[in-house]
Amino acid sequence: MNQFLANTTSLQIVLVDGSDICLTGTTELLKNCYPNAKISLAQTANDALNKISNLQTNLIIMDICLPEQPGKIAQTRIGLELLQQIMHKYPKVNILVQSPYVKRLVQIKPAIDIHKGGFVIADKNITNQEMLSRIDGALRGFTCIKEITDIHIYPNIYEELNVKPEILKLLSLAFNEGLQDKAIAAHICVSERTVRNHWDTLQEALGIDCDELRTQGKNIRIMTKIRAREAGLID
């Protein structure tokens, strides 16, 4: 399939990565396998959207830790927002997420589940041969997201929590902005009791036994942060 595409079709591939080294390495890998492909490069979220909108893109290969604009700090939040925009606007485009932060994709798993194009995940540490295999899978329209579905740490988190937006907002306000429950409640216009219920739902999904942690003298909020990060819910 790869060789057929390389010889008969002018593939349009967009590479999105904030690292010059990663862009160069992936470009060389693609040129060796797809010599006729047209490869466009982007290093920011805004540039990526512009490139994609101006091309009939067959494949997008992207990191999810990206700056929004030149000179800005790269964040997974920016990459996840970009990815959601791409999937919403181009539901049939093939996507390969190549990133050391692939577990963060659990935050947008519902959108990935309904994406109609290929969607494949690859850690940046895999071999070139494995990378080419995953590129091939994405171009064929396959879905391979085992890195975010075969997490054995908290296997019930997806069914019990279902990555609800309000839970992700709670985590962001608590751990990225340092807000306490009263301030969180005011920020999202709910009662403190509702905020506590959100914590209960999250901690149950993460397998946290609050009574046991208290007995051990451990900080429940800190343990929640640790396990939420392990599950890919926060950076």
Side-chain angles (χ1 to χ4, degrees):
M1 179 68 172
N2 271 0
Q3 196 62 40
F4 175 79
L5 286 169
N7 289 333
T8 64
T9 306
S10 182
L11 288 174
Q12 293 278 1
I13 301 175
V14 177
L15 296 184
V16 188
D17 201 302
S19 167
D20 288 326
I21 294 175
C22 290
L23 285 177
T24 300
T26 306
T27 298
E28 289 303 312
L29 186 66
L30 287 167
K31 284 182 176 178
N32 289 334
C33 193
Y34 304 98
N36 297 326
K38 295 181 179 179
I39 303 171
S40 299
L41 309 181
Q43 290 189 287
T44 68
N46 287 346
D47 189 26
L49 280 177
N50 290 334
K51 293 279 174 59
I52 294 166
S53 65
N54 291 324
L55 298 169
Q56 294 293 321
T57 308
N58 301 104
L59 176 65
I60 299 168
I61 302 175
M62 62 178 288
D63 197 344
I64 53 170
C65 188
L66 298 168
E68 186 173 17
Q69 300 174 4
K72 298 292 186 179
I73 297 174
Q75 302 177 63
T76 55
R77 175 182 63 82
I78 299 299
L80 291 174
E81 290 175 356
L82 170 64
L83 186 53
Q84 289 181 95
Q85 291 180 65
I86 291 172
M87 289 191 291
H88 177 73
K89 197 169 184 180
Y90 309 100
K92 295 183 179 181
V93 71
N94 298 313
I95 299 170
L96 170 63
V97 176
Q98 179 192 21
S99 177
Y101 305 100
V102 292
K103 283 204 298 184
R104 305 297 188 269
L105 292 169
V106 70
Q107 300 177 27
I108 60 169
K109 188 173 180 294
I112 295 172
D113 288 340
I114 63 173
H115 185 64
K116 296 178 181 178
F119 196 102
V120 176
I121 296 173
D123 190 276
K124 284 191 174 180
N125 292 324
I126 63 175
T127 66
N128 285 350
Q129 190 58 45
E130 178 62 23
M131 181 64 178
L132 289 173
S133 175
R134 299 204 186 195
I135 291 171
D136 176 69
L139 284 170
R140 290 174 182 266
F142 295 163
T143 296
C144 182
I145 58 173
K146 62 181 180 179
E147 286 85 351
I148 62 171
T149 57
D150 287 351
I151 296 176
H152 301 295
I153 304 173
Y154 314 112
N156 297 324
I157 189 169
Y158 309 108
E159 291 77 14
E160 296 180 13
L161 184 58
N162 200 24
V163 200
K164 296 177 181 177
E166 58 266 31
I167 298 294
L168 295 177
K169 185 65 174 178
L170 173 77
L171 286 166
S172 177
L173 291 172
F175 299 129
N176 294 337
E177 301 185 30
L179 299 185
Q180 295 297 318
D181 287 357
K182 184 175 181 179
I184 292 172
H187 192 92
I188 60 178
C189 301
V190 299
S191 68
E192 285 188 66
R193 182 179 181 84
T194 298
V195 171
R196 287 195 294 272
N197 288 338
H198 287 337
W199 282 119
D200 290 342
T201 299
L202 172 64
Q203 287 158 352
E204 181 180 354
L206 291 172
I208 293 174
D209 186 330
C210 294
D211 291 335
E212 179 64 23
L213 290 179
R214 291 190 189 96
T215 300
Q216 296 173 0
K218 295 183 178 179
N219 186 300
I220 295 172
R221 189 65 61 95
I222 291 176
M223 290 303 299
T224 301
K225 182 178 182 179
I226 291 171
R227 294 195 184 182
R229 180 179 290 123
E230 288 174 343
L233 298 178
I234 58 174
D235 292 343

